Amino acid sequence: MAIDAVVDQPLEDPSAAIHRTRKTAMWAFLGSEVFFFGSMISTFLLYRNTTLDGPGAEIFNIPFTSASSFVLLMSSLTMVLADHAFGNGDQRQGRIWLVGTALLGTTFLAGQIFEFTEFVHAGLTIRSSPFGSSFYMLTGFHGAHVAVGVLLLSMLVFFSLRGRYDPDQGMNVELVALYWHFVDIVWIVIFTVVYLLQI
Amino acid sequence: MAVATTTAPTASTSGLWSWITTVDHKRIGIMYAVSAFVFFLVGGTEALLIRLQLATPNGTLLSADAYNQLFTMHGLTMVFAVIMPIAAAYQNYFVPLQIGARDVAFPRLNAFAFWLFLFSALFLYSSFVVGGAPDGAWVGYAPLSTQLKEFIRMDYYAIGAQLLGVASLAGSVNFIATIFTMRAPGMTLLRMPVFTWMTVVTSFLLLLSLPVIGVGLWQILFDRNFGTLFYAAQAQGDPLLWQHLFWIFGHPEVYVLILPAMGIVSEILPVFSRKPLFGYAFVVFSGIAIGFLGFGVWAHHMFTAGLGPVAEAGFGLATMLIAIPTGVKIFNWIGTTWGGKLRLTTAMLFSLGFIAMFVIGGLSGVTHSIVPADTQQHDSYYIVAHFHYVLFGGAVFGYMAGIYYWFPKWTGRFLDEKLGKVQFWITFVGFNLTFAPMHILGLDGMPRRTYRYPEGLGFEFWNLLATIGSFLIALGVLLLLINLVKSYRKGAPAPADPWDGRTLEWTTSSPPPVHNFDEIPVVHHVDDFWYRKYGVDEEGRAVRVPEVTGGTVEVEVGGEDHGEAGHDIHMPSPSYFPIIAAAGVVVIGAGLTFSSTPLVGFTLLGLGVIVTLWGLMGWAGEPITKEAH
């Protein structure tokens, strides 16, 4: 019986190990989120034309939503810059990019609130048709994810300002960045399926 | 032995407060086990009431309303508050021990998941005192679950199941991170114990199926409370959507219930046969195959819903495919015992019982894949018989085997074997008396979820038999309870390795120290512990390696500079933030049930958000090990 003492994992630096563990967990969580949004997108596709003769996809303001989508996508760039600055140990500059990311996210949310108000005035509510129910549920839950992201970014800025930011803690720029990019990517799918794909 | 000092947590290690603030995976495992056992008694009592009602024709013990609440809560309890948490108990306690880790990846998230599970289950039960428990079956089919708005009962279903799902999701993320990144040196994926492997598979099943029902439960809640039209047929909403969302979760969920039990049995059979698991890789890959296929068969629960012949044929075929990996496992288990030196301990008896009962349940399951036959069986007692054979005769037998197998590791004491064997035979006979007649009742046309039946349909005898059997099961459970209490107090003391085990949990003391291992083991084999104890002679027989005695293993390899010797082991400090965050989340859920009185609802909602944020902020801001700073 050959005993091959293959040790495939050299004892690594504990700090690197915990980063690896946390990133694995975040990826697993994001995998779960894919199914969460996937179910709501499926629901929306099922009810895409079930408008009960009320307002449907024709009331979307594509130029406006394109602009707010652009704002959200740009926030991924600032998030990368924040992560880069924190990686270099430059927390002061990192904070600026974090605040920028949070502001871009807030702008997107403001755009969504404006848009929802317009749609409600046009007669599209969660009660008007299955189309309305599934539209507001999908975009609303996405908005809630953006809001949670803004909260996480604010917490990072708060911890950093108080000098309590520690990259070995769970509250970590890299993990928040993963989450934030995911929320942006989901929006690309939602924007395509809900707004652009009007057959 | 290398000197390893454990950084003592700040709080004391005994007393109520130490349990509330604990982040130790072993203590959390024990709390899961105790909670699951208590809910097992509650859910079992509900089952006995159901059986008493059905013992005779035109039963008068329960009203239709009470019956509906009881069978709904029986299902919800047994699935979400008994089998899932007892699986979580074993996984929490033994996965870190089996892979040679000191704890799970996120000890505080682990505590959060437990408290959220417990509070959500209690929240679900609080419905009994505020207007009645959910009464729309555990499947909660729309529009039945969305239309009866005069009651808030199904709101408790929608929110309770949602929160229990979040708790499981947190646990799954934790196990995936733990198993993929925290294995001991040399513990490659294909050297992991099968129980750990099955934990990987169930974690992925939960991770990817819970969000789907999560969306469905939100839709039910919104339909009931905020006037959305997801399932409103009068507004062209499609109730069939709920069935799809529910069963895309529901079918993987039944594998979530059974796979950990299969893992336990795959641990026990080799130990008590004194042979390695026959076809280890086949058992592991079959488990993975079951997990994959489990996502592609959900519509076999919906063959009477009118999906059309193409979909029905496709899902029927996929369902038949499931029989292949399942059959592979059964043959591998039989192959494991074949020619082995069997020791018929209670754990072994339950494992063998598991195989036999699961074969019966599996075969009746294959009959569901034949669409015309399933159309006849649908919603009859035949279905009830089938899933109790796989979930009680299968899963619960597996978990009972686990209790007898691992109790010495938990407590350092053996369970009483004589009492255990009596319990096995009573449970085994009682189980078959209860559920075998239901096959006949179902084929004779007795519908499930019906609170009484008239005389003269030929149902009387079999129903009476089933009721008698159910009380035998209750006697078996009572014996187990007595055994647990008695053995915990004064059972025979158990050494570190009481069964001549094969996996790493048996290398450490019984019960294990807080930090699990003084030195992290280095792994060279599947069943590494066995190969430390035994070599093989020319004829392939196991021969004890002389220098290792009595199950104690010298793990020291070098001097003080080797490995972690001489270093402090930093264990995470206790924390009360997880329980606060969990309480806050459940208060938010409670707030959502008060849509008719917005003032109360918003007050609870606001309070819940504040408490949750307090918990999460404190959690994020506190160092993991306080002394380290």
Side-chain angles (χ1 to χ4, degrees), chain B residues 466-515:
Chain B
T467 302
I468 294 169
S470 67
F471 278 87
L472 270 183
I473 298 178
L475 178 63
V477 174
L478 186 69
L479 287 180
L480 175 62
L481 182 64
I482 292 169
N483 201 346
L484 286 169
V485 173
K486 204 185 89 173
S487 306
Y488 179 73
R489 291 218 185 116
K490 44 183 197 263
D497 179 23
W499 310 116
D500 204 4
R502 313 176 74 89
T503 41
L504 291 179
E505 75 265 31
W506 305 110
T507 61
T508 185
S509 62
S510 300
V514 179
H515 53 280

Side-chain angles (χ1 to χ4, degrees), chain A residues 1-9 11-12 17-18 20-29 31-33 35-37 39-40 42-43 46-47 49-52 126-130 133-135 137 141 151 155 158-159 164 166 168-171, chain B residues 105-106 108 169 173 176-178 180-188 191 207-209 211-212 214-215 218-219 222 225-231 235-238 241 245 295 522-525 531 536 563 613 616-617 619-624 629:
Chain A
M1 183 55 86
I3 294 178
D4 49 332
V6 179
V7 177
D8 69 337
Q9 291 170 24
L11 288 169
E12 56 184 326
I18 205 154
R20 205 161 58 98
T21 303
R22 289 208 176 102
K23 275 167 86 171
T24 308
M26 185 48 101
W27 280 108
F29 170 69
S32 180
E33 291 273 67
F35 276 63
F36 185 71
F37 281 103
S39 303
M40 288 190 291
S42 305
T43 305
L46 178 67
Y47 293 139
N49 298 315
T50 317
T51 54
L52 306 181
I126 57 167
R127 298 163 189 237
S128 62
S129 63
S133 302
S134 52
F135 168 78
M137 184 181 185
F141 265 107
L151 185 72
M155 277 169 78
F158 172 77
F159 281 128
R164 280 165 63 198
D166 175 359
D168 283 347
Q169 283 279 304
M171 203 56 214
Chain B
F106 305 104
R108 289 176 296 179
L169 202 61
V173 169
I176 288 171
T178 306
F180 281 117
T181 65
M182 291 175 65
R183 300 189 307 278
M187 176 70 85
T188 57
R191 287 176 188 165
L207 189 75
L208 304 181
S209 68
V212 181
V215 167
W218 282 121
Q219 290 170 347
F222 294 161
N225 294 294
F226 307 121
T228 56
L229 301 166
F230 291 107
Y231 302 123
Q236 295 174 37
D238 190 353
L241 174 66
L245 293 179
F295 274 103
V522 177
V523 178
H524 304 285
H525 281 284
Y531 289 104
V536 180
L613 281 180
L616 293 180
M617 286 289 278
W619 182 343
E622 97 187 319
I624 296 168
H629 288 257

Side-chain angles (χ1 to χ4, degrees), chain A residues 104-134:
Chain A
L104 288 171
T106 315
T107 310
F108 173 82
L109 284 175
Q112 200 172 34
I113 290 167
F114 170 77
E115 189 183 63
F116 282 5
T117 318
E118 291 286 291
F119 294 161
V120 169
H121 285 312
L124 181 73
T125 68
I126 57 167
R127 298 163 189 237
S128 62
S129 63
F131 171 84
S133 302
S134 52

Side-chain angles (χ1 to χ4, degrees), chain A residues 130-178:
Chain A
F131 171 84
S133 302
S134 52
F135 168 78
Y136 283 112
M137 184 181 185
L138 173 57
T139 52
F141 265 107
H142 180 267
H145 276 74
V146 176
V148 169
V150 170
L151 185 72
L152 291 173
L153 292 166
S154 316
M155 277 169 78
L156 282 176
V157 174
F158 172 77
F159 281 128
S160 172
L161 273 176
R162 299 277 300 268
R164 280 165 63 198
Y165 178 76
D166 175 359
D168 283 347
Q169 283 279 304
M171 203 56 214
N172 175 316
V173 175
E174 205 181 352
L175 293 179
V176 174
L178 270 178

